[in-house]
């Protein structure tokens, strides 16, 4: 009886399966990667320290991704360009102190809020201003694409709001005396004053109450990520992780309404 040689057939089959596996692997890996976008300059939410991207929002996003089994990729850009990156599917979401607004909700899906930040104004420590209303007729710096700037204009049209491209420029405007105040959220202003030992104070008065969340594109992938992130945020609330991270970066718990 003539013996049948299986070795060449098995070898060819193994090579074929190997090629198929190598071809499919990038696709599988891509599906298990979540891409985040941030400015890299937003203290204390998403900023660079010793060349590494850190911050409250950064840590929250990374913990969620890890729990969900996603690899993470971070992209940095100016804030006003990050939403366009969601539209073009270059990033999945923006862990960078993004406020939920009626305008944004018309276009994007949002996770449950994971931070609550009242909008406020900081001035020089020795300034006469005690409340936001005291700044009527005076210049207050605000970010061009910032929701806080829009909120201040809506809150009091008698305040002269001067806009700048970046948040750092708004802070520099107050430091250099070009404006009398700067608008941002109270937790961020207080964290900045403490970290940089700035001779500023936050005046009384709440311009608006802001809910911070993760925005997603309104499509199948966005809906999936929204559901997954909401589930993990719920657990991070429950086990106290969100509160601990908030205290680490802001000095107190900002994660409760």
């Amino acid at each position: 009886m003539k013996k049948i040689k299986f070795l060449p057939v098995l070898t060819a089959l193994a090579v074929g399966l190997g090629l198929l596996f190598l071809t499919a692997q990038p696709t599988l890996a891509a599906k298990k990667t979540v891409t985040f976008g941030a400015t890299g300059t937003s203290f204390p939410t998403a900023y660079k320290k010793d060349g590494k991207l850190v911050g409250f929002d950064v840590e929250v996003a990374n913990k969620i991704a890890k729990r969900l089994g996603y690899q993470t990729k971070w992209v940095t850009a100016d804030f006003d360009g990050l939403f366009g990156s969601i539209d073009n599917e270059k990033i999945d979401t923006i862990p960078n102190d993004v406020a939920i607004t009626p305008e944004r909700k018309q276009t994007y899906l949002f996770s449950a809020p994971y931070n609550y930040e009242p909008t406020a104004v900081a001035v020089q420590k020795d300034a006469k201003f005690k409340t936001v209303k005291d700044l009527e007729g005076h210049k207050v710096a605000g970010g061009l694409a910032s929701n806080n700037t829009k909120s201040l204009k809506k809150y009091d049209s008698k305040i002269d709001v001067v806009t700048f491209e970046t948040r750092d420029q708004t802070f520099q405007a107050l430091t250099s005396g070009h404006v009398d105040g700067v608008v941002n959220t109270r937790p961020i202003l207080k964290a900045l004053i403490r970290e940089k030992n700035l001779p500023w104070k936050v005046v009384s008065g709440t311009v608006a109450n802001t809910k911070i969340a993760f925005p997603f594109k309104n499509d199948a992938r966005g809906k999936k990520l929204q559901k997954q992130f909401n589930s993990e945020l719920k657990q991070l609330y429950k086990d106290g992780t969100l509160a601990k991270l908030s205290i680490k970066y802001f000095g107190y718990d900002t994660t409760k309404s």
Side-chain angles (χ1 to χ4, degrees):
M1 181 181 290
K2 193 173 181 180
K3 292 184 178 179
I4 300 174
K5 296 182 178 180
F6 289 101
L7 187 58
V9 177
L10 290 172
T11 302
L13 182 61
V15 171
L17 288 172
L19 289 172
L20 180 62
F21 177 74
L22 289 173
T23 302
Q25 236 185 340
T27 303
L28 292 172
K31 287 182 178 178
K32 259 320 206 184
T33 299
V34 61
T35 304
F36 297 131
T39 63
T41 59
S42 303
F43 178 87
T45 54
Y47 65 104
K48 288 186 178 180
K49 184 177 182 180
D50 299 325
K52 183 181 179 181
L53 193 63
V54 297
F56 174 72
D57 294 55
V58 172
E59 281 208 46
V60 173
N62 282 338
K63 284 186 180 296
I64 290 174
K66 185 177 181 180
R67 291 191 180 202
L68 292 171
Y70 284 108
Q71 294 181 349
T72 59
K73 178 182 177 182
W74 284 88
V75 175
T76 56
D78 291 338
F79 188 80
D80 55 357
L82 291 173
F83 282 96
S85 294
I86 289 183
D87 299 336
N88 298 328
E89 299 181 3
K90 293 181 179 179
I91 63 174
D92 290 303
T93 189
I94 308 169
N96 199 117
D97 202 47
V98 175
I100 301 174
T101 68
E103 295 80 13
R104 290 171 181 169
K105 285 181 71 175
Q106 290 178 7
T107 305
Y108 304 98
L109 301 173
F110 277 91
S111 71
Y114 61 90
N115 203 4
Y116 296 86
E117 300 181 6
T119 300
V121 175
V123 299
Q124 294 289 353
K125 198 171 185 178
D126 58 357
K128 61 181 180 181
F129 312 111
K130 294 182 178 180
T131 70
V132 176
K133 288 289 184 180
D134 291 339
L135 284 152
E136 290 182 350
H138 296 272
K139 293 181 179 180
V140 174
L144 186 62
S146 172
N147 180 63
N148 296 310
T149 303
K150 295 177 182 177
S151 295
L152 181 59
K153 288 180 178 179
K154 186 177 180 181
Y155 177 78
D156 194 334
S157 60
K158 294 180 181 179
I159 295 173
D160 183 9
V161 181
V162 183
T163 57
F164 294 83
E165 288 288 340
T166 68
R167 191 164 71 171
D168 282 350
Q169 289 174 337
T170 68
F171 298 148
Q172 183 58 37
L174 178 57
T175 299
S176 62
H178 290 153
V179 296
D180 297 300
V182 61
V183 63
N184 212 291
T185 68
R186 183 172 283 111
I188 287 176
L189 290 171
K190 286 194 171 184
L192 189 69
I193 291 169
R194 184 179 66 252
E195 176 72 14
K196 305 293 184 181
N197 195 29
L198 296 172
W200 297 356
K201 64 182 179 182
V202 180
V203 297
S204 299
T206 297
V207 173
N209 286 300
T210 305
K211 296 178 181 179
I212 305 300
F214 296 109
F216 302 98
K217 187 173 183 179
N218 193 354
D219 60 7
R221 178 170 172 81
K223 290 176 181 177
K224 177 183 177 181
L225 288 171
Q226 180 194 41
K227 183 177 180 180
Q228 290 178 326
F229 272 56
N230 280 344
S231 177
E232 293 306 320
L233 281 171
K234 187 176 181 179
Q235 292 303 314
L236 291 175
Y237 268 118
K238 189 175 181 180
D239 65 20
T241 300
L242 276 181
K244 289 177 182 177
L245 288 176
S246 177
I247 293 169
K248 174 182 177 180
Y249 286 100
F250 296 111
Y252 63 103
D253 187 6
T254 65
T255 65
K256 295 180 180 179
S257 178

